[in-house]
Amino acid sequence: MSKHDRNEKKTPFEDEWGHDPSVQRLRRVFSFIGDAQQELLRRLNISLFDQRLRRVRRQALELFERAWPLAVRQGMIMSEKDAAPIYIHCLARALSLVGVEVPGALLPSDEKIIRFLQEKLP
């Protein structure tokens, strides 16, 4: 086996995308989102095994996927951390659909985000 052949072989768990800066950025975005989600659920005393969460997370992600590109275009998301507050508001809306009301004190209080989501995701 030539040196070139050895370099071409990949280990089964090698992350081919991990060196791509845009993939690294997205991973950081979703890491911040995951941390914020866990913190909100902890503060609401909702188990990570609550059966409602599958549906809630799916709905929150759908809302977030609609809001995110609009927020980027409007300059509301400038860093990886900026996406988490928007997602948390989407998660709160999805939680309300299954009867879990999130107290406003637990939500990011950025008026710009609140107004943006009310306008873009009525």
Side-chain angles (χ1 to χ4, degrees):
M1 180 181 331
S2 74
K3 181 179 177 184
H4 183 266
D5 290 336
R6 277 181 275 157
N7 289 340
E8 290 297 314
K9 286 190 172 192
K10 297 188 182 333
T11 60
F13 300 108
E14 186 173 333
D15 183 359
E16 295 179 22
W17 299 98
H19 300 291
D20 183 328
S22 62
V23 171
Q24 291 174 353
R25 181 175 182 270
L26 279 176
R27 286 180 177 170
R28 285 189 299 271
V29 165
F30 283 102
S31 175
F32 286 119
I33 286 172
D35 291 346
Q37 176 180 254
Q38 276 193 313
E39 178 62 17
L40 179 63
L41 295 175
R42 184 190 66 74
R43 293 180 76 188
L44 290 170
N45 202 27
I46 296 176
S47 167
L48 295 177
F49 301 105
D50 188 313
Q51 293 190 11
R52 300 171 294 179
L53 285 181
R54 173 178 258 182
R55 182 172 147 213
V56 165
R57 286 179 175 136
R58 185 180 66 247
Q59 290 173 328
L61 184 59
E62 288 171 6
L63 290 169
F64 179 73
E65 286 175 340
R66 288 185 4 225
W68 188 7
L70 299 171
V72 168
R73 274 187 242 130
Q74 290 189 3
M76 294 181 68
I77 296 179
M78 304 300 285
S79 74
E80 289 97 353
K81 290 181 181 182
D82 294 339
I86 292 173
Y87 176 80
I88 290 303
H89 279 278
C90 294
L91 181 63
R93 186 178 294 184
L95 283 164
S96 73
L97 296 174
V98 297
V100 177
E101 291 306 317
V102 179
L106 297 182
L107 295 173
S109 61
D110 187 328
E111 270 305 310
K112 193 165 86 172
I113 291 173
I114 294 166
R115 204 170 34 256
F116 165 79
L117 291 173
Q118 288 171 342
E119 291 171 7
K120 302 301 179 184
L121 300 176

